[in-house]
Amino acid sequence: MAKSKTKYVYFFGDGKAEGDTKMKALLGGKGANLAEMSSIGLPVPPGFTISTEACEAFQKAQKWPTGLADQVDKHLKRLENATGKTFGSGPEPLLVSVRSGAAVSMPGMMDTVLNLGLNDETRDAMIELTGNERFVWDAYRRFMQMFGDVVLGMEHEHFEEALQKVKDKHGAKLDTDLDVDGLKQVVAEYEKVYKRQKQTFPQNVKDQLRKSVDAVFGSWNNPRAIRYRELNDIRGLKGTAVNVQTMVFGNMGDDSGTGVAFTRDPSTGKNTFYGEFLMNAQGEDVVAGIRTPEPIADLRKHNRKVYKELREIRGKLEDHYRDMQDFEFTIERGTLYMLQTRTGKRTAVAAVKIAADMMKEGLIDEKESVLRLDPRQVDQLLHPWFDQDAEGKAQQVGKGLPASPGAATGRIVFNADDAEKQADDGKQVILCRIETSPEDIGGMHAAEGILTTRGGMTSHAAVVARGMGKCCVAGCGELTIDYKAKTLSADGKTFKEGEWISLNGTSGVVYAGKIDTVEPKLTGPFAELMKLSDKYRTLGVRTNADTPHDVDVAVRFGAEGIGLCRTEHMFFEGDRIVSMRKMILADDEDGRRKALAEIEPRQRDDFIGIFKALKGRPATIRLLDPPLHEFVPHDSEGQKQMAEAMGISVKKVRQKVDSLHEFNPMLGHRGCRLGIAYPEITAMQARAIVEAAYEVRGAKAEIMIPLVGNVKELAHQKRIVEQVIEEVKAANKGKKAPPIKIGTMIEVPRGAVTADAIAAEAEFFSFGTNDLTQMGCGFSRDDAGKFLKQYVEEGIYDADPFQSLDRDGVGELVRIAVEKGRSANKALKLGICGEHGGDPSSIAFCHEVGLDYVSCSPYRVPVARLAAAQAVIRHGDASKAARKSKKSSSKSATKTKKRSRKAGSKKSARKSAKKSAKKLSRKRSKKR
């Protein structure tokens, strides 16, 4: 057989290892940590890891790479020597487990095979060796079921039905109630299942191993694994490693057992030993929820020595890894073995507390504490909780385990696919299952919360829900679910699919109906972590807000001002839309002015409310941006109502609506283009802003002119605004003039590449990356969703460019604008106000290119504060370096270019703007 120079297989065990935690990309998280635990002297059953490179090669060729078979045989011999056992024969047969293990933990998403190496010969040898016939037949039936299900793709239900048939015959409630004869009958029934499915259970153990390794490699691309990677934004991995490890058995009797434990509580973050175990069981029994496990503290009742040893290992793991660990263990005839450790999945609440506590304990420093919280998790901390009074009045229908904290209200659904469909339709749903499985991942993600009637705190539902930040109540045994009837019953009351229930994942209580929620607050460890983030970040964080309420929420979450106030939203409130429509329908400027005069005082009041809520913080207010057609009805009924409200004919309304039609309105008559066509709109809005600023002490206004692609557009609109500022100043003699800046949104690619010219007229730039992405990539925001998912799946884009900034394309436009803008105007203030302002990856980019601030929705403000701090810790203060290099590049060449642009384009722009401003002033004087 051909040999390969590539090493694919790595040994671990007996205090020796060929790998460590630095090799996660090659050995996967599980393999790297097994090697690491072996090296630090923990009791790890020996084995070997087949690398992710082997998986990658297998995925490409659908066969083992050259040399892998030889290396596996060599390491099997080494494993036989290490254990004194023989693979495939007696008198002491070697049995192994075959488990997946990617570089990033994906719990339950890929495949595992246990008890491999059993056949008719080794089964009999094991009985002779152990003297425990029941244990061996139990292991054999488990292996037959797992091999058929995982490796051969046989339906799991067929094995469950066969097992239940024998249990019913013997009157057994649990698997452990079956005696040797019962288990022999189960094996006989399983053989019939294989025969009916036209499959053969292999007696050749090397054939078993090869097929199992193939199955684990193949599980890297099963639907649930792909979906999990999509949901958790896991990219760039080669595949899964495969860990072949000597079996140790927790099902050898009452002195044996298995469990899952966490070094701290993964739900609350408390520094308490947390976990569950089962005696006389194998690992899958704990997570499957078939038997209710015992809390880890009760292990001392069964074996005080093992419990003490486990607590010592808990401390050793935390000291070594400096993070909360999730580990699996097995007790075989009173001896403890460690089967796995990994950084534990935790809720956001737990992540914050663990980070804060470990910093105080000296395990990690301040910077590491800030890095410990995934910014995407912060959303979980900002979700509403149940109102205490409303919860106190609600009808309790059951109580289970508080598997994942939070509050959730929704309609009952029993199927994961239905949960996804209904959530897509905008419905709130609670996924109710007897127990969840990896196939339910999509429905779990779509649901508001998850309820199971079986399973414990380390069950699949609990672990996955905590990782997702979903509220979950598990193991609520007093509830009964009937999938066929689609009902959930409790205490004599029956709930049908579609009825409302509420879950408190913190207490484990299930309630009937809806319960009111309350807004969260930044307190305790979370507030401490936010203060630390503020200490390290250099980016400012503002909010996108259009109302005083939004401002209040954002300020409470730490916003330092408004980065985008969309004034068009105000036109839709109450009867303002009528005045706006009057303006649109007007035949001349006088008619438009009359309509705008109705709107102006209301706009002013809006801005007064916002300035008051800001309490001296700055507000960037964007002038009217959308095209006028968005303010008029396009259906016949709406046009009829508009005609009646305005006392004009339907025909006139229809004609006006038709005249506003554009084939591509997003590239049409909007933004500054509207202001140039109708300067009275710009003047009205500017007046409302400036007068409001004079009304509120400490107000700081930044007037933003949208959609500028040419410096002449900005110059035109700027002069109108400046004229208004002077008029309002004259009318407020004796009052201190509020600081008012004039700037623009950089959202048109031409604006980005001519930013040096535009910067000469602007005091600030705010990057409108929604439109910049649309125009820069040539994607319609309204239509791109039809194909962008495929683009991401096929790797054309790493992520949806409307969600995470396209650094190579749109990001380069931003970089060009920053460099050119600051070369022309060193005092230029730079920010971003598109949806990307709340995306952690985009925030890191904003830090790298030297922006001054990001702006995002109120509930994303803490996310931005944390992400901005992490950018500094990971990359250093890139913003200072960026500004330094930009200052040094501001030499004579840019000055010359700037003068030449000013001499031409700016001169004509000023001339046009002054003409419009004078015209507006004359009209205003005549009116007075």
Side-chain angles (χ1 to χ4, degrees):
M1 189 174 286
K3 292 187 177 180
S4 169
K5 292 181 181 178
T6 304
K7 182 174 174 60
Y8 290 116
V9 185
Y10 296 77
F11 193 82
F12 61 83
D14 287 345
K16 303 171 187 174
E18 294 180 317
D20 55 36
T21 51
K22 296 174 185 175
M23 298 171 68
K24 280 187 178 181
L26 184 67
L27 304 181
K30 187 173 292 180
N33 282 324
L34 284 168
E36 188 80 8
M37 284 197 295
S38 295
S39 298
I40 62 174
L42 297 187
V44 176
F48 56 85
T49 300
I50 302 172
S51 74
T52 57
E53 289 181 349
C55 179
E56 183 180 42
F58 177 86
Q59 297 294 344
K60 290 176 180 176
Q62 288 302 299
K63 64 180 182 181
W64 283 20
T66 302
L68 177 57
D70 281 346
Q71 291 182 37
V72 168
D73 285 343
K74 177 185 171 183
H75 281 77
L76 274 172
K77 289 289 183 187
R78 186 172 175 181
L79 193 54
E80 287 178 331
N81 292 334
T83 60
K85 299 177 180 181
T86 311
F87 190 52
S89 61
E92 232 180 303
L94 171 65
L95 305 186
V96 297
S97 62
V98 180
R99 298 171 183 258
S100 62
V104 177
S105 178
M106 296 170 55
M109 295 303 113
M110 292 178 290
D111 291 334
T112 294
V113 180
L114 303 179
N115 306 328
L116 190 145
L118 277 173
N119 57 20
D120 291 347
E121 179 186 346
T122 55
R123 179 194 65 204
D124 293 342
M126 285 289 290
I127 292 171
E128 182 70 27
L129 176 69
T130 65
N132 189 336
E133 192 174 6
R134 190 200 177 282
F135 147 69
V136 177
W137 280 100
D138 183 45
Y140 196 44
R141 66 94 186 173
R142 287 172 184 269
F143 178 45
M144 286 186 72
Q145 177 174 343
M146 199 171 273
F147 191 88
D149 179 9
V150 170
V151 180
L152 300 180
M154 298 163 67
E155 291 294 330
H156 180 74
E157 287 77 9
H158 297 313
F159 292 105
E160 286 298 316
E161 288 167 3
L163 175 61
Q164 193 61 48
K165 178 181 174 182
V166 176
K167 283 164 69 176
D168 291 343
K169 182 179 177 181
H170 285 255
K173 184 179 180 181
L174 301 173
D175 302 359
T176 49
D177 295 334
L178 289 172
D179 58 14
V180 173
D181 288 339
L183 290 169
K184 286 180 177 179
Q185 287 174 36
V186 172
V187 170
E189 289 297 325
Y190 283 0
E191 287 171 348
K192 292 177 186 177
V193 171
Y194 271 85
K195 194 171 182 180
R196 284 196 296 271
Q197 298 293 312
K198 297 182 180 177
Q199 297 283 2
T200 304
F201 177 72
Q203 292 292 312
N204 184 315
V205 294
K206 287 196 174 180
D207 190 27
Q208 292 176 2
L209 179 60
R210 182 154 192 147
K211 287 181 177 178
S212 296
V213 170
D214 287 355
V216 175
F217 278 160
S219 70
W220 174 251
N221 282 324
N222 69 35
R224 64 179 185 265
I226 291 171
R227 181 71 171 139
Y228 187 88
R229 292 197 293 274
E230 286 175 0
L231 295 176
N232 291 278
D233 197 28
I234 298 171
R235 306 174 188 282
L237 302 185
K238 293 179 178 179
T240 181
V242 179
N243 300 287
V244 179
Q245 188 175 21
T246 304
M247 280 294 303
V248 286
F249 299 96
N251 59 332
M252 293 188 77
D254 292 338
D255 61 351
S256 302
T258 187
V260 176
F262 296 79
T263 56
R264 302 194 186 211
D265 189 322
S267 187
T268 66
K270 288 181 180 178
N271 190 2
T272 55
F273 194 21
Y274 178 100
E276 296 173 323
F277 73 97
L278 282 170
M279 300 307 290
N280 196 18
Q282 282 200 313
E284 72 268 24
D285 297 337
V286 178
V287 296
I290 296 165
R291 289 167 58 192
T292 301
E294 297 180 61
I296 196 71
D298 287 354
L299 180 58
R300 75 186 88 185
K301 298 175 184 176
H302 297 271
N303 191 321
R304 185 173 291 275
K305 176 176 169 289
V306 167
Y307 179 70
K308 183 183 177 185
E309 189 179 354
L310 208 54
R311 287 190 66 92
E312 289 171 357
I313 287 173
R314 171 207 177 201
K316 195 168 185 177
L317 285 173
E318 274 211 351
D319 288 344
H320 184 77
Y321 285 99
R322 298 185 309 111
D323 202 354
M324 186 266 278
Q325 294 293 294
D326 161 11
F327 62 88
E328 295 177 17
F329 64 91
T330 286
I331 306 161
E332 181 181 281
R333 290 180 166 176
T335 301
L336 177 66
Y337 295 94
M338 295 294 291
L339 304 183
Q340 171 174 302
T341 191
R342 60 189 173 195
T343 299
K345 299 285 184 186
R346 65 204 78 179
T347 64
V349 171
V352 170
K353 181 163 177 54
I354 290 169
D357 287 353
M358 285 190 167
M359 183 182 67
K360 290 172 185 174
E361 293 161 18
L363 274 174
I364 58 176
D365 60 18
E366 283 185 354
K367 291 182 179 180
E368 186 64 29
S369 178
V370 172
L371 291 174
R372 280 291 167 88
L373 184 61
D374 184 340
R376 293 171 297 181
Q377 277 190 303
V378 173
D379 277 342
Q380 300 171 28
L381 298 166
L382 307 177
H383 292 167
W385 297 81
F386 286 142
D387 176 81
Q388 286 188 351
D389 291 337
E391 186 175 11
K393 296 172 185 174
Q395 179 190 355
Q396 181 175 327
V397 295
K399 186 170 184 179
L401 299 170
S404 187
T409 294
R411 299 177 186 273
I412 295 170
V413 292
F414 296 102
N415 177 280
D417 291 338
D418 291 342
E420 287 196 79
K421 288 172 188 172
Q422 291 192 35
D424 286 343
D425 291 337
K427 294 179 180 176
Q428 293 174 265
V429 297
I430 301 290
L431 179 62
C432 301
R433 303 285 292 163
I434 295 171
E435 61 195 23
T436 61
S437 71
E439 282 74 20
D440 294 325
I441 186 79
M444 295 173 76
H445 181 260
E448 301 292 317
I450 300 145
L451 171 65
T452 68
T453 58
R454 287 206 306 227
M457 297 292 279
T458 57
S459 63
H460 175 268
V463 171
V464 174
R466 284 196 292 268
M468 288 181 171
K470 295 283 181 183
C471 169
C472 177
V473 175
C476 193
E478 55 200 275
L479 303 182
T480 303
I481 290 175
D482 186 330
Y483 288 142
K484 194 171 182 181
K486 291 192 174 183
T487 59
L488 182 150
S489 303
D491 197 25
K493 183 173 176 59
T494 299
F495 298 86
K496 296 178 181 177
E497 187 166 64
E499 290 190 47
W500 290 84
I501 58 170
S502 297
L503 310 179
N504 185 329
T506 307
S507 64
V509 177
V510 183
Y511 298 98
K514 289 183 180 182
I515 300 178
D516 293 334
T517 56
V518 293
E519 296 294 328
K521 295 178 181 177
L522 293 187
T523 56
F526 187 28
E528 292 171 21
L529 194 62
M530 286 294 103
K531 283 181 182 177
L532 269 183
S533 298
D534 293 341
K535 175 181 175 179
Y536 288 102
R537 67 181 169 89
T538 55
L539 272 174
V541 178
R542 297 191 185 187
T543 189
N544 302 339
D546 312 326
T547 67
H549 174 264
D550 287 347
V551 173
D552 286 339
V553 171
V555 167
R556 197 166 72 242
F557 288 151
E560 297 162 324
I562 290 178
L564 174 63
C565 175
R566 302 174 179 92
T567 56
E568 61 269 12
H569 291 177
M570 301 168 179
F571 292 131
F572 289 97
E573 291 184 14
D575 59 358
R576 299 182 196 193
I577 189 65
V578 176
S579 300
M580 186 65 180
R581 286 170 175 173
K582 284 181 186 176
M583 191 276 294
I584 293 169
L585 286 166
D587 294 320
D588 54 28
E589 187 179 330
D590 283 338
R592 288 193 295 274
R593 286 181 170 283
K594 286 178 184 177
L596 290 169
E598 295 177 10
I599 298 171
E600 185 179 308
R602 296 175 181 181
Q603 279 252 288
R604 183 171 56 247
D605 289 344
D606 289 331
F607 298 134
I608 287 171
I610 285 171
F611 286 136
K612 284 181 177 178
L614 283 169
K615 297 176 182 175
R617 298 174 182 88
T620 303
I621 301 168
R622 183 179 70 185
L623 301 185
L624 190 65
D625 183 56
L628 295 180
H629 80 87
E630 289 193 11
F631 297 95
V632 295
H634 293 267
D635 62 294
S636 56
E637 184 60 33
Q639 289 173 0
K640 183 181 176 183
Q641 290 174 5
M642 180 175 167
E644 289 174 357
M646 303 190 134
I648 57 175
S649 68
V650 174
K651 183 180 178 182
K652 184 174 181 180
V653 171
R654 191 176 295 120
Q655 286 174 342
K656 190 65 178 181
V657 171
D658 291 343
S659 73
L660 293 172
H661 172 74
E662 293 178 299
F663 287 104
N664 195 339
M666 294 310 292
L667 298 179
H669 201 197
R670 54 175 283 233
C672 66
R673 301 161 192 171
L674 271 178
I676 291 169
Y678 307 115
E680 56 272 13
I681 297 177
T682 301
M684 180 278 289
Q685 289 201 289
R687 189 172 301 280
I689 294 168
V690 178
E691 288 181 352
Y694 269 94
E695 283 287 321
V696 180
R697 187 175 180 180
K700 296 172 186 170
E702 299 173 352
I703 298 174
M704 183 159 66
I705 294 158
L707 214 72
V708 167
N710 188 311
V711 65
K712 297 175 189 177
E713 293 173 315
L714 176 58
H716 182 286
Q717 293 290 281
K718 179 182 176 181
R719 304 305 167 239
I720 295 170
V721 174
E722 286 177 332
Q723 178 74 30
V724 169
I725 291 172
E726 289 304 313
E727 289 176 5
V728 176
K729 184 178 179 180
N732 285 273
K733 280 183 180 178
K735 281 189 179 181
K736 184 180 177 182
I740 298 172
K741 293 181 179 180
I742 303 171
T744 186
M745 238 174 154
I746 299 293
E747 50 192 330
V748 176
R750 191 182 190 279
V753 298
T754 60
D756 48 349
I758 293 172
E761 290 284 356
E763 293 177 270
F764 66 87
F765 285 172
S766 181
F767 290 95
T769 48
N770 298 342
D771 271 336
L772 194 59
T773 298
Q774 181 167 237
M775 296 185 216
C777 295
F779 294 148
S780 163
R781 269 192 285 172
D782 297 324
D783 303 308
K786 296 173 184 176
F787 59 84
L788 275 180
K789 185 180 178 185
Q790 182 186 357
Y791 268 41
V792 173
E793 287 172 353
E794 297 194 13
I796 296 171
Y797 279 86
D798 290 336
D800 183 332
F802 288 107
Q803 294 177 11
S804 193
L805 195 70
D806 164 36
R807 293 188 177 209
D808 295 337
V810 178
E812 194 59 26
L813 288 172
V814 173
R815 195 186 298 275
I816 290 167
V818 169
E819 291 175 357
K820 286 196 165 195
R822 281 222 172 101
S823 73
N825 181 352
K826 292 178 184 177
L828 188 69
K829 195 162 190 172
L830 300 167
I832 184 174
C833 62
E835 289 303 310
H836 301 98
D839 169 63
S841 173
S842 305
I843 291 167
F845 174 81
C846 293
H847 167 75
E848 290 166 28
V849 297
L851 297 195
D852 293 298
Y853 69 87
V854 297
S855 188
C856 54
S857 64
Y859 284 94
R860 301 288 288 173
V861 167
V863 176
R865 290 166 68 190
L866 179 64
Q870 291 181 346
V872 174
I873 294 167
R874 289 194 176 106
H875 308 295
D877 191 356
S879 58
K880 285 183 182 176
R883 287 194 188 97
K884 190 175 180 182
S885 67
K886 281 154 201 162
K887 283 179 182 178
S888 64
S889 68
S890 181
K891 302 295 181 184
S892 59
T894 47
K895 287 178 181 176
T896 303
K897 193 185 289 185
K898 183 174 154 187
R899 287 193 199 104
S900 65
R901 287 185 189 273
K902 282 183 179 179
S905 61
K906 282 180 62 186
K907 191 172 180 181
S908 59
R910 280 200 182 97
K911 189 175 179 181
S912 171
K914 282 179 180 177
K915 188 176 178 182
S916 295
K918 284 178 181 177
K919 185 180 176 185
L920 282 164
S921 183
R922 284 198 300 271
K923 290 279 184 183
R924 192 95 188 165
S925 298
K926 283 180 183 178
K927 191 175 179 184
R928 287 191 185 123

